[in-house]
Amino acid sequence: MSPGTIRKWSWVHKWSSLVCTAFLLLLCITGLPLIFHEEIEHLLGDKPEPPVMAADTPRASLDRIIAAGLARRPGQVVQFVVWDKDEPDVVIVNIARTLVEPFDKSQVMIFDARTAELLMEPGGHVGFMDIMLSLHVDLFAGLPGKLFLGLMGLLFVVAIISGVVLYAPFMRKLPFGTVRKDKATRTRWLDLHNLLGVVTVGWVLVVGATGVINTWADLLIQLWRFDQLADMVTPYAGQPPVGKPGSLDKAMVTAHAAAPGMRPSFVAFPGTLFSSGHHYMVAMRGEAPLTKRLIQPVLVDAQTAGLTDLRKMPWYITSLLVSQPLHFGDYGGLPLKIVWALLDIISIVVLGSGLYLWIARRGVSMDVRLAALAQDDQAVRAGR
Amino acid sequence: MTMRPPSGSTLSLQRIFGVPLLLATVTVIGLVSALLDDGFWDALSWATLALPMLVAAWAIWFRRE
């Protein structure tokens, strides 16, 4: 690599890193507790503990659960019914003032799936984990905040790639894993920055890139609405949206028949972001670690409970769904979460040492400049 | 040819990126394996994703100059 090329790549590495480092440090630090959100919620008692019953206890009617939820919030509407893939004995109901209310404005109620009894109605106070999540996802700024963090993530990816390119000239004469402990502090930290950065580069690239994809979630769902959903509901064009949707229990029978062997992940009610004005969108999922995160939408007429259509999700929604576990690290048990957290801490060290290297070099170049000035002074004096 | 100080030869790109490339490949195997199934595939992901950290720990604390 010629000195000119190296200079160009270091310019790219320096500026892409400098712009994103503060935000990436925030993302790494707030991401740390989020890795363990399930465990923390259990500890804080924010998760329901449904009573133990025989495994074959029949499920309660969903219509009964919905009625119980609406009775607690008269005049409001159900947006979603959700099943927790790790807690099969509960049904989660989202109720809000309007069908298009954002997630954080809706009331969550958690019911026992067998007795239709209300187990928990979280909310009211904003907890520690809510603050961590908002800082991590959108800086309390909604969609613009998400897209801004996505841009920072893209810069981070540029910083990683340019860092890998620069690794070559720096390591030209040093065997892999060299840490020059007897040299100046800056040299030692340069070696640590290079070593820790290069061994974790695969993980950091995947978590960074999937994080960027997650910031586009809202946009991708909108795209799906205009693309596939609009196409599936063309027969309903011009019809007024349903006022009061019919039985969800009947709609579920249709959905199960249309997607045999699958389980429901969630149901979007007619008029919400994930459905049309005339349908229950029943999102069915598989059983394996990957397929239980992918969804097969089944559109069921909300009045007649007849099947309207089912189509495979387009590639961009599937990419979004696959990118979620790869970003969260929640798909391989507690040991994977611990590994995730350790890699996250190493990333914090790489970010911090990168910042230190920049500050330390600025100091050096200033010293050099001062020394040069002093020499000039001497030369001037000698010339007199 | 320009004059270079005789202080050691420069390493080839293969030598420089050999171990990092191997670790990145192992990392990707680990990231995918836990998606495939539970049990063995989870354990494989724990081991493969921990490997880069073990290598770094070796370089920092146990490697001889």
Side-chain angles (χ1 to χ4, degrees):
Chain A
M1 216 182 281
S2 75
T5 319
I6 295 175
R7 216 171 301 132
K8 273 179 206 143
W9 279 107
S10 16
W11 185 87
V12 172
H13 190 61
K14 178 169 105 183
W15 286 104
S16 56
S17 310
L18 275 178
V19 174
C20 76
T21 291
F23 295 98
L24 257 298
L25 278 171
L26 173 80
L27 290 173
C28 286
I29 291 165
T30 53
L32 208 49
L34 288 174
I35 297 172
F36 301 104
H37 75 92
E38 247 185 280
E39 287 76 7
I40 294 173
E41 280 161 7
H42 263 294
L43 272 180
L44 296 177
D46 288 344
K47 274 244 160 181
E49 314 279 351
V52 179
M53 293 183 197
D56 57 351
T57 311
R59 313 264 108 180
S61 150
L62 291 171
D63 293 330
R64 219 178 102 207
I65 292 177
I66 290 165
L70 286 174
R72 298 181 63 82
R73 296 247 155 181
Q76 300 203 359
V77 286
V78 176
Q79 292 180 300
F80 304 100
V81 169
V82 184
W83 287 265
D84 186 335
K85 56 185 172 356
D86 302 312
E87 184 54 87
D89 292 332
V90 304
V91 174
I92 304 156
V93 180
N94 271 63
I95 294 183
R97 284 204 179 81
T98 69
L99 289 163
V100 291
E101 211 81 2
F103 281 121
D104 52 344
K105 296 264 169 30
S106 72
Q107 176 61 50
V108 172
M109 296 181 196
I110 304 173
F111 289 90
D112 190 310
R114 303 148 305 180
T115 61
E117 218 165 289
L118 182 72
L119 293 174
M120 187 177 268
E121 194 173 350
H125 70 291
V126 178
F128 169 74
M129 293 304 278
D130 298 313
I131 295 170
M132 292 296 110
L133 189 67
S134 288
L135 284 174
H136 193 85
V137 171
D138 64 4
L139 301 169
F140 294 98
L143 183 60
K146 282 184 196 168
L147 296 178
F148 174 77
L149 287 179
L151 195 65
M152 292 302 115
L154 281 178
L155 277 177
F156 183 51
V157 171
V158 172
I160 296 164
I161 293 170
S162 56
V164 172
V165 172
L166 287 173
Y167 182 78
F170 274 111
M171 300 301 287
R172 217 169 32 191
K173 292 187 177 168
L174 301 170
F176 173 81
T178 305
V179 180
R180 289 166 289 180
K181 288 178 192 155
D182 47 343
K183 290 282 169 64
T185 315
R186 190 179 180 278
T187 310
R188 201 162 64 230
W189 276 106
L190 174 67
D191 287 347
L192 282 171
H193 180 78
N194 287 343
L195 171 67
L196 293 176
V198 88
V199 298
T200 56
V201 73
W203 180 83
V204 149
L205 265 182
V206 168
V207 174
T210 52
V212 171
I213 295 172
N214 275 308
T215 65
W216 301 331
D218 297 0
L219 302 182
L220 294 175
I221 292 160
Q222 283 297 341
L223 181 59
W224 173 76
R225 281 179 66 84
F226 287 114
D227 172 17
Q228 208 179 68
L229 183 65
D231 199 36
M232 287 194 280
V233 299
T234 33
Y236 291 79
Q239 289 186 27
V242 295
K244 198 176 177 314
S247 164
L248 180 59
D249 286 312
K250 280 189 193 149
M252 292 308 291
V253 173
T254 309
H256 277 288
M262 297 181 95
R263 284 165 180 264
S265 172
F266 67 92
V267 177
F269 272 54
T272 58
L273 187 63
F274 295 84
S275 192
S276 78
H278 316 92
H279 294 89
Y280 284 119
M281 194 282 271
V282 185
M284 302 295 279
R285 63 166 176 87
E287 285 288 2
L290 180 60
T291 58
K292 77 172 160 194
R293 288 156 201 281
L294 303 181
I295 58 174
Q296 165 71 65
V298 182
L299 279 189
V300 182
D301 188 303
Q303 247 146 14
T304 67
L307 177 68
T308 297
D309 204 346
L310 88 165
R311 290 192 198 172
K312 283 243 167 316
M313 274 294 190
W315 64 270
Y316 49 84
I317 297 288
T318 303
S319 313
L320 172 67
L321 294 172
V322 173
S323 75
Q324 287 176 341
L326 288 172
H327 187 73
F328 306 154
D330 61 349
Y331 61 108
L334 188 58
L336 188 67
K337 292 183 183 181
I338 293 169
V339 169
W340 224 258
L342 292 172
L343 287 163
D344 184 53
I345 291 168
I346 292 180
S347 303
I348 294 175
V349 175
V350 175
L351 287 164
S353 59
L355 199 58
Y356 160 78
L357 290 170
W358 174 68
I359 293 167
R361 193 174 53 187
R362 271 166 51 106
V364 167
S365 67
M366 191 55 84
D367 288 345
V368 171
R369 261 178 266 160
L370 285 171
L373 267 180
Q375 274 181 347
D376 284 351
D377 282 354
Q378 280 175 352
V380 168
R381 261 182 239 125
R384 273 183 187 152
Chain B
M1 283 292 278
T2 49
M3 297 283 281
R4 274 182 187 280
S7 60
S9 58
T10 59
L11 300 171
S12 68
L13 279 182
Q14 284 98 311
R15 281 287 302 283
I16 294 173
F17 284 111
V19 180
L21 200 63
L22 191 75
L23 289 175
T25 311
V26 167
T27 297
V28 170
I29 292 173
L31 287 170
V32 174
S33 79
L35 280 176
L36 299 178
D37 211 342
D38 297 331
F40 166 79
W41 297 98
D42 278 350
L44 181 67
S45 81
W46 308 333
T48 48
L49 290 173
L51 187 67
M53 293 188 277
L54 295 176
V55 170
W58 160 81
I60 293 167
W61 289 298
F62 301 106
R63 191 175 185 277
R64 287 165 185 278
E65 294 283 325

